[in-house]
Amino acid sequence: VSTQSTGNWNWETAPFKLTPEYVDLMDGLHSSVFQYFKALVIRGFLETRKYSDRIVMLVEIAMQTGPPLPCLMGGERALADLKSRFHMDLTEDEFITHVDSLIFRSYDNWRTKRYDQYQYLTNYILP
């Protein structure tokens, strides 16, 4: 919901984790499988965007009635951040370009690699 990470450490700035190993499993960046993956991600984002009002409303209810969640600790700021992530100001084509850039920024992100290293060295958690 927000950009807050566990323990208030915001190491990972990639939109999501997309390692070279994941892409290798899809036969590489230029494969039809990866292109299908991209199409599904874009479609998922577009579908989520259609229901942005409902999603925001559910989060507002959770903020008012549920136990305090770390991702909602920012209050109105967290809610504004969530709303902005739907990019309702963009046309559908602009939004698709934006989602494609999220995929590109996620692939082999150096901060994700450093965070995975940190997790391994401190907690023996393999990426």
Side-chain angles (χ1 to χ4, degrees):
V1 173
S2 73
T3 57
Q4 183 167 341
S5 301
T6 306
N8 293 323
W9 288 63
N10 198 3
W11 286 49
E12 291 198 73
T13 56
F16 59 92
K17 188 171 186 172
L18 184 60
T19 66
E21 292 82 7
Y22 293 165
V23 174
D24 286 346
L25 289 172
M26 293 183 266
D27 295 327
L29 288 172
H30 305 290
S31 71
S32 62
V33 177
F34 185 74
Q35 297 309 310
Y36 182 61
F37 164 78
K38 282 178 49 174
L40 289 176
V41 170
I42 290 168
R43 199 159 130 202
F45 270 77
L46 287 169
E47 287 299 314
T48 303
R49 190 177 188 223
K50 284 181 191 177
Y51 300 99
S52 62
D53 290 341
R54 292 179 185 177
I55 293 167
V56 169
M57 183 174 56
L58 287 171
V59 171
E60 285 178 310
I61 291 168
M63 288 174 73
Q64 295 169 7
T65 61
L69 300 171
C71 62
L72 301 177
M73 296 304 269
E76 290 302 316
R77 171 64 189 227
L79 200 58
D81 287 348
L82 173 62
K83 288 177 184 177
S84 73
R85 289 174 185 226
F86 292 108
H87 296 280
M88 298 308 287
D89 57 319
L90 300 179
T91 66
E92 187 170 300
D93 286 340
E94 291 169 334
F95 186 70
I96 289 169
T97 300
H98 169 69
V99 174
D100 194 54
S101 77
L102 295 177
I103 296 167
F104 176 76
R105 287 191 352 241
S106 296
Y107 175 67
D108 201 20
N109 183 278
W110 72 272
R111 289 188 70 129
T112 298
K113 290 190 284 190
R114 296 297 82 78
Y115 184 68
D116 286 347
Q117 268 185 328
Y118 170 79
Q119 287 285 31
Y120 176 72
L121 292 172
T122 60
N123 303 311
Y124 304 107
I125 297 173
L126 293 174

